[in-house]
Amino acid sequence: MTFSTTSTIPINGEIFYQPQDNEVQLFEYAYAHQLPLLIKGPTGCGKTRFVAHMAEKLGRPLYTVACHDDLTAADLVGRHLIGPNGTYWQDGPLTRAVREGGICYLDEIVEARKDTTVVLHPLADDRRLLPIERTGEELVAAEGFMLVVSYNPGYQNILKGMKASTRQRFVALRLNYPDPLLESQILMAESQIEQDLAVKLIELAGSLRRLDSDLDEVVSTRLLIYAARMMSSGMSPLAVCRCCLAEPLSDDISTVEALMDVARLYF
Ligand code: ADP
């Protein structure tokens, strides 16, 4: 079971998040009306950071679950464990959020096994109920509880997708990679990089993203931040481009070299 409370380092006492559009307001309205939220967007575009920022802003505990194809309803709800004094029940992250009135964030929800939708449905509509089959409990979500799920609608998820009956229970929001000005501000805030270098990196990212290649994914804001941190500590820009922007995207040597050819136009 993979779950954690947020570990993002606060900047100036707040988890730094630079809004792309009206998503902060949208989240606040959804929260105020106790509506669940679905966030779509490519990997590394800021979904997790956004949710952490909002949980902090709203003063709610955050339970983040990175979903994977072995994740079952019991991983979310909880299970009986065996201890020195016999068996005892341990709440899963979803149950904890429901009891405490916290935010439960299920990252890459489409990866989870289908039985998880059974527990999410009554929680995600106006019943706000979590039936715990194994203990016979039926929990009504505490006031501040909010369910937030995300997925990357990239090509690999087209088949998996979310069932209409599930997705129609959520208010949905699409995030993308931030526009160049915003993305360069994020790079500067998240690393010690100088402005001119940040701008160059963002220009390179624009060219790499426009490249007509057979890559599954384009370079993310997360990778650009890695690159900015490595460059700002003095590593040669081209070496950084290779290890942060080319090699992570492809195993194919000719594709990596094609990405490096573009990088050489900038550094
Ligand atoms: P996702 O959950 O979409 O895969 P993350 O939220 O983990 O992506 O974002 C990756 C990194 O990019 C974050 O750790 C953060 O440093 C940065 N980031 C992306 N978008 C923003 C933003 N709008 N404001 C601040 N930081 C951002």
Side-chain angles (χ1 to χ4, degrees), residues 229-242:
R229 288 181 183 158
M230 306 271 269
M231 279 187 194
S232 65
S233 62
M235 194 170 170
S236 123
L238 274 179
V240 171
C241 290
R242 184 174 290 280

PDB file of all heavy atoms in Angstrom, residues 229-242:
ATOM      1  N   ARG A 229      17.736  22.949 -11.736  1.00  0.00           N
ATOM      2  CA  ARG A 229      18.533  22.765 -10.509  1.00  0.00           C
ATOM      3  C   ARG A 229      19.946  22.313 -10.840  1.00  0.00           C
ATOM      4  O   ARG A 229      20.912  22.797 -10.262  1.00  0.00           O
ATOM      5  CB  ARG A 229      17.855  21.730  -9.600  1.00  0.00           C
ATOM      6  CG  ARG A 229      16.598  22.293  -8.955  1.00  0.00           C
ATOM      7  CD  ARG A 229      15.934  21.284  -8.039  1.00  0.00           C
ATOM      8  NE  ARG A 229      14.698  21.854  -7.506  1.00  0.00           N
ATOM      9  CZ  ARG A 229      13.685  21.156  -7.022  1.00  0.00           C
ATOM     10  NH1 ARG A 229      13.738  19.840  -6.990  1.00  0.00           N
ATOM     11  NH2 ARG A 229      12.610  21.758  -6.561  1.00  0.00           N
ATOM     12  N   MET A 230      20.072  21.407 -11.793  1.00  0.00           N
ATOM     13  CA  MET A 230      21.409  20.901 -12.157  1.00  0.00           C
ATOM     14  C   MET A 230      22.227  22.021 -12.812  1.00  0.00           C
ATOM     15  O   MET A 230      23.405  22.185 -12.525  1.00  0.00           O
ATOM     16  CB  MET A 230      21.302  19.724 -13.125  1.00  0.00           C
ATOM     17  CG  MET A 230      20.436  18.595 -12.658  1.00  0.00           C
ATOM     18  SD  MET A 230      21.312  17.349 -11.703  1.00  0.00           S
ATOM     19  CE  MET A 230      21.806  16.227 -12.963  1.00  0.00           C
ATOM     20  N   MET A 231      21.584  22.782 -13.689  1.00  0.00           N
ATOM     21  CA  MET A 231      22.321  23.872 -14.360  1.00  0.00           C
ATOM     22  C   MET A 231      22.745  24.923 -13.353  1.00  0.00           C
ATOM     23  O   MET A 231      23.862  25.443 -13.431  1.00  0.00           O
ATOM     24  CB  MET A 231      21.447  24.543 -15.424  1.00  0.00           C
ATOM     25  CG  MET A 231      21.397  23.779 -16.714  1.00  0.00           C
ATOM     26  SD  MET A 231      20.513  24.727 -17.962  1.00  0.00           S
ATOM     27  CE  MET A 231      20.241  23.441 -19.178  1.00  0.00           C
ATOM     28  N   SER A 232      21.845  25.240 -12.421  1.00  0.00           N
ATOM     29  CA  SER A 232      22.176  26.326 -11.487  1.00  0.00           C
ATOM     30  C   SER A 232      23.285  25.911 -10.525  1.00  0.00           C
ATOM     31  O   SER A 232      23.923  26.762  -9.919  1.00  0.00           O
ATOM     32  CB  SER A 232      20.938  26.792 -10.725  1.00  0.00           C
ATOM     33  OG  SER A 232      20.470  25.759  -9.920  1.00  0.00           O
ATOM     34  N   SER A 233      23.536  24.595 -10.418  1.00  0.00           N
ATOM     35  CA  SER A 233      24.663  24.217  -9.560  1.00  0.00           C
ATOM     36  C   SER A 233      25.955  24.088 -10.360  1.00  0.00           C
ATOM     37  O   SER A 233      26.965  23.619  -9.864  1.00  0.00           O
ATOM     38  CB  SER A 233      24.357  22.940  -8.777  1.00  0.00           C
ATOM     39  OG  SER A 233      24.154  21.897  -9.671  1.00  0.00           O
ATOM     40  N   GLY A 234      25.917  24.466 -11.655  1.00  0.00           N
ATOM     41  CA  GLY A 234      27.154  24.596 -12.415  1.00  0.00           C
ATOM     42  C   GLY A 234      27.421  23.498 -13.421  1.00  0.00           C
ATOM     43  O   GLY A 234      28.430  23.514 -14.120  1.00  0.00           O
ATOM     44  N   MET A 235      26.534  22.529 -13.535  1.00  0.00           N
ATOM     45  CA  MET A 235      26.775  21.459 -14.503  1.00  0.00           C
ATOM     46  C   MET A 235      26.620  22.004 -15.926  1.00  0.00           C
ATOM     47  O   MET A 235      25.798  22.899 -16.168  1.00  0.00           O
ATOM     48  CB  MET A 235      25.764  20.333 -14.254  1.00  0.00           C
ATOM     49  CG  MET A 235      26.105  19.047 -14.961  1.00  0.00           C
ATOM     50  SD  MET A 235      25.028  17.705 -14.387  1.00  0.00           S
ATOM     51  CE  MET A 235      25.464  16.457 -15.591  1.00  0.00           C
ATOM     52  N   SER A 236      27.392  21.448 -16.853  1.00  0.00           N
ATOM     53  CA  SER A 236      27.347  21.967 -18.220  1.00  0.00           C
ATOM     54  C   SER A 236      25.941  21.802 -18.807  1.00  0.00           C
ATOM     55  O   SER A 236      25.335  20.723 -18.703  1.00  0.00           O
ATOM     56  CB  SER A 236      28.390  21.248 -19.072  1.00  0.00           C
ATOM     57  OG  SER A 236      27.791  20.637 -20.167  1.00  0.00           O
ATOM     58  N   PRO A 237      25.394  22.877 -19.415  1.00  0.00           N
ATOM     59  CA  PRO A 237      24.011  22.826 -19.899  1.00  0.00           C
ATOM     60  C   PRO A 237      23.723  21.642 -20.826  1.00  0.00           C
ATOM     61  O   PRO A 237      22.680  21.015 -20.712  1.00  0.00           O
ATOM     62  CB  PRO A 237      23.834  24.158 -20.627  1.00  0.00           C
ATOM     63  CG  PRO A 237      24.784  25.081 -19.937  1.00  0.00           C
ATOM     64  CD  PRO A 237      25.968  24.236 -19.552  1.00  0.00           C
ATOM     65  N   LEU A 238      24.666  21.323 -21.737  1.00  0.00           N
ATOM     66  CA  LEU A 238      24.364  20.224 -22.660  1.00  0.00           C
ATOM     67  C   LEU A 238      24.319  18.880 -21.942  1.00  0.00           C
ATOM     68  O   LEU A 238      23.480  18.021 -22.259  1.00  0.00           O
ATOM     69  CB  LEU A 238      25.392  20.193 -23.796  1.00  0.00           C
ATOM     70  CG  LEU A 238      25.058  21.104 -24.976  1.00  0.00           C
ATOM     71  CD1 LEU A 238      26.142  21.021 -26.047  1.00  0.00           C
ATOM     72  CD2 LEU A 238      23.683  20.758 -25.569  1.00  0.00           C
ATOM     73  N   ALA A 239      25.207  18.725 -20.952  1.00  0.00           N
ATOM     74  CA  ALA A 239      25.174  17.478 -20.167  1.00  0.00           C
ATOM     75  C   ALA A 239      23.851  17.377 -19.408  1.00  0.00           C
ATOM     76  O   ALA A 239      23.248  16.307 -19.302  1.00  0.00           O
ATOM     77  CB  ALA A 239      26.356  17.434 -19.195  1.00  0.00           C
ATOM     78  N   VAL A 240      23.376  18.512 -18.915  1.00  0.00           N
ATOM     79  CA  VAL A 240      22.095  18.539 -18.197  1.00  0.00           C
ATOM     80  C   VAL A 240      20.955  18.184 -19.153  1.00  0.00           C
ATOM     81  O   VAL A 240      20.066  17.399 -18.822  1.00  0.00           O
ATOM     82  CB  VAL A 240      21.854  19.925 -17.554  1.00  0.00           C
ATOM     83  CG1 VAL A 240      20.446  20.021 -17.007  1.00  0.00           C
ATOM     84  CG2 VAL A 240      22.872  20.190 -16.451  1.00  0.00           C
ATOM     85  N   CYS A 241      21.011  18.772 -20.367  1.00  0.00           N
ATOM     86  CA  CYS A 241      19.950  18.485 -21.337  1.00  0.00           C
ATOM     87  C   CYS A 241      19.881  16.985 -21.612  1.00  0.00           C
ATOM     88  O   CYS A 241      18.798  16.407 -21.713  1.00  0.00           O
ATOM     89  CB  CYS A 241      20.193  19.232 -22.646  1.00  0.00           C
ATOM     90  SG  CYS A 241      19.941  21.003 -22.472  1.00  0.00           S
ATOM     91  N   ARG A 242      21.050  16.361 -21.706  1.00  0.00           N
ATOM     92  CA  ARG A 242      21.064  14.925 -21.993  1.00  0.00           C
ATOM     93  C   ARG A 242      20.422  14.141 -20.852  1.00  0.00           C
ATOM     94  O   ARG A 242      19.548  13.312 -21.059  1.00  0.00           O
ATOM     95  CB  ARG A 242      22.505  14.447 -22.253  1.00  0.00           C
ATOM     96  CG  ARG A 242      22.578  12.978 -22.641  1.00  0.00           C
ATOM     97  CD  ARG A 242      23.988  12.563 -23.032  1.00  0.00           C
ATOM     98  NE  ARG A 242      24.419  13.136 -24.302  1.00  0.00           N
ATOM     99  CZ  ARG A 242      24.075  12.663 -25.511  1.00  0.00           C
ATOM    100  NH1 ARG A 242      23.288  11.619 -25.599  1.00  0.00           N
ATOM    101  NH2 ARG A 242      24.506  13.249 -26.600  1.00  0.00           N
TER     102      ARG A 242
END
